[in-house]
């Protein structure tokens, strides 16, 4: 049985454009994987706390020396990581907020980057431990940045996810959503076409 992890990071939950587009991906994936399992991680509905010194200290503490509070912190991070490990494919709905990724997504990333769990250091440098999964990022933006130096999100995601071993990434862009109605319709239509192309049954059926 195949598993798809859908990570939603729009602050608007079901009203978010990126979530609507991610839902289109999920529907197509379900149609091609009727026995498959979909896990939804909604970062607006269930926000991940900011990483602070106490939480990071819990990650670093030796397992046998962790306090009950530290064990709870690590258990929470472990549960987020288990979803990633279980997934065969990941779809990430990602808005642009103030020229970056949503802070909720950054907080999530800070809880799934764990030395010895999702990456490890070797003589040849860091090695990601979440390999063998495809990642589909659906990026929603008010303006148009794809292919320019102002698109900080694409490079950041490639760097971060690649660090964890997730280097098979497809990006779908829905851009110009705040420019005017025609631009918005064009941006959504283009994203729909890209999602439909990426979810052809022969490409995603388990
Ligand atoms: C707080 C906030 C900040 C935003 N900042 C940007 C931005 O820096 N660049 C941009 O192109 N669009 C920006 N937008 C527009 C969003 O990217 C656009 O509305 C997108 O559809 C949001 O995705 P969502 O509907 O999935 O949340 C911003 C929107 C909000 C609410």
């Amino acid at each position: 049985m195949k598993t798809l992890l859908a990570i939603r990071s729009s602050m608007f939950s079901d009203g978010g454009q990126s979530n609507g587009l991610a839902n289109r991906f999920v529907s197509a994936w379900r149609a091609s994987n009727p026995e498959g399992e979909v896990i939804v991680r909604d970062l607006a509905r269930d926000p991940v706390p900011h990483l602070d010194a106490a939480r990071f200290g819990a990650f670093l503490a030796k397992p046998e020396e962790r306090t009950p509070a530290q064990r709870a912190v690590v258990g929470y991070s472990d549960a987020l990581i288990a979803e990633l490990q279980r997934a065969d494919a990941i779809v990430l709905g990602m808005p642009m907020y103030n020229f970056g990724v949503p802070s909720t997504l950054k907080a999530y990333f800070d809880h799934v980057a764990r030395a010895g769990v999702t990456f490890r250091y070797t003589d040849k440098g860091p090695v990601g431990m979440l390999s063998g999964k495809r990642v589909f990022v659906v990026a929603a933006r008010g303006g148009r940045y794809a292919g320019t130096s102002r698109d900080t999100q694409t490079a950041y995601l490639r760097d971060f996810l690649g660090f964890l071993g997730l280097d098979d990434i497809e990006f779908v862009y829905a851009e110009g959503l705040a420019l005017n109605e025609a631009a918005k319709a064009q941006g959504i239509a283009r994203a729909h076409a890209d999602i439909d192309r990426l979810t052809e049954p022969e490409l995603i059926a388990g």
Side-chain angles (χ1 to χ4, degrees):
M1 185 181 71
K2 293 279 177 184
T3 299
L4 173 69
L5 173 61
I7 304 171
R8 297 152 55 105
S9 65
S10 169
M11 68 168 92
F12 304 112
S13 284
D14 288 333
Q17 296 289 349
S18 56
N19 286 343
L21 294 166
N23 284 348
R24 187 181 183 93
F25 185 99
V26 170
S27 297
W29 190 90
R30 275 192 208 278
S32 292
N33 296 274
E35 310 290 319
E37 167 195 39
V38 177
I39 301 171
V40 177
R41 172 59 52 184
D42 189 323
L43 301 175
R45 199 177 52 204
D46 296 308
V48 175
H50 278 153
L51 186 62
D52 57 17
R55 299 183 80 84
F56 189 60
F59 295 165
L60 297 184
K62 289 192 179 130
E64 63 277 14
E65 292 175 6
R66 284 178 184 142
T67 65
Q70 287 178 322
R71 282 204 293 276
V73 167
V74 174
Y76 174 73
S77 163
D78 285 346
L80 297 178
I81 291 169
E83 293 175 349
L84 286 165
Q85 291 168 332
R86 187 181 175 104
D88 299 287
I90 298 162
V91 60
L92 166 61
M94 181 186 65
M96 179 180 281
Y97 294 147
N98 297 316
F99 290 92
V101 302
S103 54
T104 50
L105 183 62
K106 180 61 167 65
Y108 170 82
F109 284 168
D110 286 341
H111 278 72
V112 299
R114 295 251 315 274
V117 185
T118 52
F119 69 92
R120 62 194 156 84
Y121 293 108
T122 71
D123 293 345
K124 293 178 183 150
V127 174
M129 297 167 72
L130 292 177
S131 53
K133 306 165 193 298
R134 298 194 73 195
V135 181
F136 301 86
V137 178
V138 184
R141 290 128 179 224
R144 292 196 180 114
Y145 309 102
T148 77
S149 61
R150 297 172 83 195
D151 178 6
T152 56
Q153 292 181 307
T154 300
Y156 169 63
L157 279 203
R158 283 201 187 282
D159 284 346
F160 177 76
L161 297 176
F163 185 72
L164 302 186
L166 299 167
D167 50 16
D168 183 356
I169 313 177
E170 296 277 359
F171 284 85
V172 169
Y173 300 97
E175 295 203 302
L177 304 187
L179 297 180
N180 55 55
E181 281 307 314
K184 177 177 178 179
Q186 190 184 35
I188 299 277
R190 190 170 167 193
H192 281 179
D194 285 345
I195 291 167
D196 294 350
R197 179 176 51 77
L198 290 169
T199 54
E200 293 275 348
E202 63 271 21
L203 297 178
I204 56 165

